[in-house]
């Protein structure tokens, strides 16, 4: 991560708006969140400003959202942050930034989904609407998430070994994780057309209200490819026992190979969550303590599904 040397504050955000979008500059500004790629600043009650701050590729991700989300949003059944304005690089801030609609709710890593049936139906409807063939010009790489799972085998093996060493999982669970991964990584590849994918459906990228899934945020990883990547969210986001309802309600054909690959994506998300959570608990860079319980729950659910 390469954090910007610019001190981003509420007054700095107002100055950016005064320079390029003065009609928005008098709205109240307050910090919303600091993510992996962007800072999010609330702009009144219904808008937000997203500014890249921690990765070199964040500008491109914001531009992707600005280009495609207005096209996709009208057909999606859950609220999403729709870009309204584009901020251009300037002397004050040398990177692109955007103004989007604000999606109300609490991130699911802090307020997990508890209403399983309603949320399973909502997630299935969202994925059904999103998973349509994408235009040819849409990226199919997905920051490494569009290729065969076998390309991640070395990384997964290291994450498992590190998790055992740090006593985040038992050796017995590690053996089950390895078996599920081997099955997922050897499943037949996706043979259909590249479909629109969110690409990053972890708990911090969806929001809840009263225990139910009520919105999806952060579409920076939007790309085209294998739906298994997104379908893994049924295990990573929904409470125990709800994944099956989600798959049954999903509006496209689901074959066994796709579900096998989806389990592999759950392991990637779950292991990453364990390590990011552990780093947060112990104050290491890049850590977020709220990610640990979500990662542990995802691994537990997918191992239970694999045993059936």
């Amino acid at each position: 991560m390469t954090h910007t040397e610019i001190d981003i504050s509420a007054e700095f955000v107002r100055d950016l708006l005064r320079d390029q979008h003065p009609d928005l500059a008098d709205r109240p500004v307050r910090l919303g969140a600091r993510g992996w790629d962007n800072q999010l600043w609330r702009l009144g009650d219904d808008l937000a400003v997203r500014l890249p701050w921690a990765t070199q590729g964040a500008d491109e991700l914001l531009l992707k959202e600005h280009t495609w989300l207005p096209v996709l949003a009208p057909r999606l059944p859950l609220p999403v942050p729709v870009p309204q304005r584009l901020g251009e690089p300037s002397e004050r801030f040398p990177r692109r930034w955007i103004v989007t609609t604000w999606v109300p709710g609490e991130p699911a890593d802090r307020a997990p989904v508890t209403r399983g049936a309603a949320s399973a139906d909502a997630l299935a409807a969202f994925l059904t609407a999103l998973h349509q063939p994408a235009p040819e010009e849409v990226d199919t790489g997905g920051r490494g998430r569009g290729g065969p799972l076998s390309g991640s085998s070395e990384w997964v093996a290291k994450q498992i070994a590190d998790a055992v060493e740090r006593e985040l999982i038992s050796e017995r669970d590690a053996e089950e994780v390895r078996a599920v991964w081997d099955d997922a990584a050897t499943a037949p590849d996706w043979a259909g057309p590249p479909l629109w994918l969110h690409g990053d459906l972890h708990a911090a990228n969806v929001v809840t209200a009263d225990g139910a899934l009520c919105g999806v945020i952060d579409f920076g990883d939007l790309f085209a490819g294998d739906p298994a990547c997104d379908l893994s969210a049924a295990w990573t986001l929904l409470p125990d026992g709800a994944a099956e309802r989600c798959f049954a309600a999903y509006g496209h054909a689901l074959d066994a190979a796709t579900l096998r690959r989806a389990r592999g994506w759950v392991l990637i998300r779950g292991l990453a969550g364990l390590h990011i959570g552990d780093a947060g608990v112990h104050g290491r860079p890049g850590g977020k303590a709220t990610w640990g319980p979500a990662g542990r729950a995802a691994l537990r659910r997918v191992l239970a599904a694999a045993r059936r």
Side-chain angles (χ1 to χ4, degrees), residues 68-82 122-123 125-132 196 198 216 219 222:
W68 291 112
L69 263 184
V71 176
L72 293 172
R75 76 177 189 221
L76 299 177
L78 286 173
V80 300
V82 184
L123 180 61
F126 173 82
L127 294 178
T128 298
L130 178 63
H131 289 173
Q132 305 293 333
W196 275 116
H198 179 280
V216 179
F219 283 74
L222 191 70

Side-chain angles (χ1 to χ4, degrees), residues 71-73 75-78 80 120 122-135 138 145 190 192-201 216 219 221-234 237 246-247 249-255 258-259 261-262 265 269:
V71 176
L72 293 172
R75 76 177 189 221
L76 299 177
L78 286 173
V80 300
L123 180 61
F126 173 82
L127 294 178
T128 298
L130 178 63
H131 289 173
Q132 305 293 333
V138 175
R145 296 168 189 174
W190 173 247
L195 304 181
W196 275 116
L197 304 175
H198 179 280
D200 203 21
L201 284 174
V216 179
F219 283 74
D221 280 300
L222 191 70
F223 71 102
D226 177 5
C229 179
D230 279 359
L231 288 164
S232 64
L237 300 178
C246 179
F247 296 140
Y250 181 63
H252 305 299
L254 265 179
D255 58 29
T258 298
L259 289 176
R261 295 192 305 275
W265 282 108
R269 301 268 190 239

